[in-house]
Structures are given as C-alpha cells and as structure tokens.
Amino acid sequence: MHYRIAVVPGDGIGPEVTEQAVRAMEAAGEKFGISFTFNRVLAGGAAIDARGECLPEDTVEACKASDAVLLGAVGGPKWDALPGEQRPEKALLGLRKSLGLYANLRPAAVFPELADASPLKREILNQGLDLLIVRELTGGIYFGERGHKETEMGYAAYDVEQYSTGEIERIARTAFQMAEKRRGRVTSVDKANVLDTSRLWRKTVTEIAEDYPDVELNHFYVDNASMQLVRDPSQFDVILTSNLFGDILSDEASQITGSIGMLPSASLGEGNFGMYEPVHGSAPDIAGTGKANPIAAILSAAMLLRFTLNQPGAADAIEDAVKQFLKDGFRTCDIAGGGDFCTTEEAGRRICERIREI
Ligand code: IPM
Ligand code: MN
C-alpha cells in the first residue's frame, strides 16, 4: 500500500513535532508494508514569510490531492500584529473550511504513568478520565458574519453565531456514532438558557438521538460542563459541542490529563479524508529548544492511520510504543516535573525504536 500525505509543519514547534510524527509513520509503515510520500507544504506564518499570504492556493490543492493531511501548528508573536484576515490562524480556519472538515475529534484520557502530572486530586482521577470531545469545526461564531459599526457607546465590533439544522445534524451523528463504539453516552453542551443557536442545537440533537437508541443523551449548559469537567470527569464519554465551546472545553480537558503536549486530534468530513494535528499550539517560546513534546503529533499520526487509512495495526503499534516509552520511564520536558527529560528528537527516536520492537 502506498499513500500520499500532505504535511503542513507550520510555525513554532510545528516543524519539529511533525518531523517526529513522520518518522513514527515511516517506522510503522515499514512494519506493516505501507509506504508514504510526504509532501511538505506551507501555511500559517511560514507561508506569510515565504509567500506573503497565510494559505496559498497550491497548499489547499496539495492537501486535496493527498489521502490525508498532517499538520503541526500555526501562529506566533511575529505575526500577532497583522489584521485578522491575514493572521496565520486564518490558514487553519481556511483549511478546515475548504476541505469540508466539520467534525473535530479530540480524545482526552490519562496515561496511568502521568497521573501525577494532572492538577486533579488522585481520588477524582481514580474514578476514570477517558472522554472524546466532538467539536463542530466549520460553523458557528468562527465563520459567521463579522464587522464593525458605530454605536451609542462608541465604535463596536461583532461576530455572529449561526447554526443550521443541517450543520447540527451531521456533527450530532458523528458524536452518536462515536459513542456507539465507546461507552454509549453523549453529553451535548450548549447555552440554551440564553442563546437561540443553542436552543436549535438542543432540539436538533434530541431529534437525531432517536436514531441511536443504544446511546444515552444528556444536555449540559457550557458553564456547568466546564465545572463538571474538573469536579468529576468520569461522568463524560462523548462531549458534543459547537466550535467555540469545543475550543475552550478541549483545552480544559487536555490540561486535566496532565499535559496538552500529549493530545492528538482528527478533523473529518464526509468520506475518509482527514486532517490530523496536535491540540497544542505553536509554543514559540520553546521552539528549537528540544523541550517540545512530540507525542501529540505522533498520536495524531496514529489517528490518521486509524481513521483515514484504515490501518489499525499500524495505529496500534504507534500508540503502544508511546505507552511503552512512558512505562520505560522516559519523559519529555513538559511531563518531567523538573527532572531529567528527553529532547523532542530523542523522544521521537525512542518511540520509533519501540514501534519497530512491538
Ligand atoms: C485549536 C486552535 C485554533 C482554534 C486556532 C489556532 C484558530 O485554538 O485548534 O483549538 O481556535 O480552532
Ligand atoms: Mn484551541
């Protein structure tokens, strides 16, 4: 089997962590008779510097011509002063939209070896933490009408939250299908006590639930959900939510697992195509220091193998190698608790060794 993968290294630590993810894919590929062509393309600040725009058209074309996309991270202080439309982050939103990737899957679970890195008390963690955030990714306030106007209180800016039933239905189906393969529970998160979009969200999700009789559905307001996540995360299986709420809750969920440097994500649309990226950002403060944790990127590569390429053996090999790396006592800087740590490159190398051994 041969696959074409578009790699978007991006900015900050993006290039160094995606490099290790590429190596992990090659190691797993060798073992399972899979080969890859990696096509590295520009987006974000790197594209602004080289080409004067954050998302060149040939990048979008290269992604569309690939079986899947592996992305690092975009953004950094160098480009923070640019107007919204020209910022590196716009490249990420443009990719998601133009590739039709409306479903963002963000799993958050604790590795037992890292339980001490979690800010939660042991007794809370011991009840279990293994959840999946299903975040709507191409709608809502991120993509609604925006603008500026004069008001009685002075100059104003606005961003509109809008959701159609079609957009809610398809992301709800993703969440219910995921729950069927997990523990059979969906918690839909909204702000239906205030927002009309949330009231439509809740009504539509409730209707779609009828097609999934084996899945139990409940609804939380977002403020309560954010509190419940630290009070008792074991109550959650699949969390289904909008673009903005999902952005916020996924950072919270990642931190309670111990480190945001560990968490992968998948962005999917119709069909098997997908874009895979770590949940963490570009962390420009540690770029080039060897302190970046490549595990989130490496686990994103495993998700790519599982969801898009339908290669569960290779995906398992990568995930097992990461577990073994941790079990063997190796730590990257973010999870070392001030002790000895592996550099980004060394962590990648040790994980690849374990992929080959498994
Ligand atoms: C994320 C990021 C992005 C988002 C930014 C960089 C545009 O925070 O993937 O969570 O808000 O979606
Ligand atoms: Mn985010």
Side-chain angles (χ1 to χ4, degrees), residues 107-111 114-115 117-120 125 129 252-263:
V110 196
F111 289 88
L114 300 185
S118 170
L120 295 187
L125 224 46
L129 165 48
E252 185 186 2
S254 70
Q255 190 54 52
I256 61 180
T257 68
S259 172
I260 194 168
M262 306 288 294
L263 295 197

Side-chain angles (χ1 to χ4, degrees), residues 20-42:
Q20 301 311 320
V22 163
R23 290 188 191 163
M25 284 179 77
E26 280 172 336
E30 276 165 34
K31 218 180 150 81
F32 288 86
I34 314 164
S35 62
F36 305 98
T37 310
F38 293 101
N39 182 14
R40 289 172 178 77
V41 292
L42 288 171

Side-chain angles (χ1 to χ4, degrees), residues 6-332:
V7 181
V8 187
D11 309 319
I13 62 171
E16 47 202 283
V17 297
T18 42
E19 199 45 46
Q20 301 311 320
V22 163
R23 290 188 191 163
M25 284 179 77
E26 280 172 336
E30 276 165 34
K31 218 180 150 81
F32 288 86
I34 314 164
S35 62
F36 305 98
T37 310
F38 293 101
N39 182 14
R40 289 172 178 77
V41 292
L42 288 171
I48 296 174
D49 289 352
R51 305 277 296 278
E53 52 178 331
C54 68
L55 185 58
E57 188 52 37
D58 50 354
T59 292
V60 179
E61 290 312 316
C63 291
K64 283 186 179 162
S66 305
D67 294 303
V69 183
L70 184 66
L71 186 138
V74 296
K78 184 172 177 195
W79 308 280
D80 271 352
L82 290 172
E85 282 302 301
Q86 293 167 29
R87 289 178 64 103
E89 288 82 357
K90 190 75 193 168
L92 196 50
L93 303 181
L95 276 172
R96 290 169 179 170
K97 192 74 172 180
S98 57
L99 301 173
L101 306 172
Y102 62 83
N104 187 212
L105 311 184
R106 298 188 159 184
V110 196
F111 289 88
E113 295 81 11
L114 300 185
D116 288 334
S118 170
L120 295 187
K121 291 199 183 100
R122 265 292 176 157
E123 58 259 39
I124 296 178
L125 224 46
N126 285 345
Q127 293 171 31
L129 165 48
D130 179 5
L131 57 89
L132 174 70
I133 296 186
V134 175
R135 169 190 177 194
E136 201 290 326
L137 204 59
T138 53
I141 196 165
Y142 273 56
F143 292 94
E145 190 195 326
R146 66 190 49 168
H148 299 94
K149 62 181 177 189
E150 286 301 335
T151 70
E152 274 173 21
M153 295 290 288
Y155 188 66
Y158 59 92
D159 301 271
V160 176
E161 168 95 344
Q162 175 177 311
Y163 268 115
S164 63
T165 50
E167 289 173 306
I168 303 167
E169 279 168 20
R170 62 184 185 181
I171 192 68
R173 289 195 188 282
T174 305
F176 286 112
Q177 285 158 14
M178 290 290 150
E180 281 178 332
K181 290 186 236 150
R182 293 173 48 99
R183 300 194 304 281
R185 191 180 172 92
V186 169
T187 301
S188 176
V189 173
D190 61 36
K191 187 69 186 171
N193 49 347
V194 178
L195 304 176
D196 262 349
T197 38
S198 282
R199 286 188 270 269
L200 182 66
W201 181 280
R202 194 173 276 226
K203 176 170 172 286
T204 309
V205 170
T206 305
E207 283 164 13
I208 295 295
E210 287 172 19
D211 292 345
Y212 302 87
D214 296 336
V215 179
E216 187 192 330
L217 169 68
N218 66 349
H219 303 272
F220 277 176
Y221 297 138
V222 64
D223 48 353
N224 183 34
S226 72
M227 181 267 279
Q228 296 295 340
L229 259 176
V230 288
R231 194 189 70 85
D232 174 20
S234 73
Q235 66 186 295
F236 297 106
D237 179 15
V238 174
I239 295 179
L240 161 64
T241 192
S242 66
N243 205 342
L244 181 64
F245 296 161
D247 179 46
I248 298 165
L249 293 180
S250 61
D251 267 33
E252 185 186 2
S254 70
Q255 190 54 52
I256 61 180
T257 68
S259 172
I260 194 168
M262 306 288 294
L263 295 197
S265 81
S267 303
L268 307 171
E270 303 297 344
N272 290 334
F273 183 82
M275 182 163 85
Y276 297 81
E277 57 180 297
V279 169
H280 64 69
S282 60
D285 51 324
I286 58 164
T289 63
K291 290 184 180 168
N293 183 346
I295 293 180
I298 290 172
L299 292 176
S300 299
M303 288 185 93
L304 188 162
L305 286 157
R306 191 179 303 287
F307 289 107
T308 291
L309 305 185
N310 198 18
Q311 295 282 356
D316 286 346
I318 293 181
E319 287 169 2
D320 290 346
V322 168
K323 284 183 200 144
Q324 194 58 49
F325 168 84
L326 295 171
K327 223 178 255 165
D328 291 343
F330 294 110
R331 299 288 181 267
T332 46

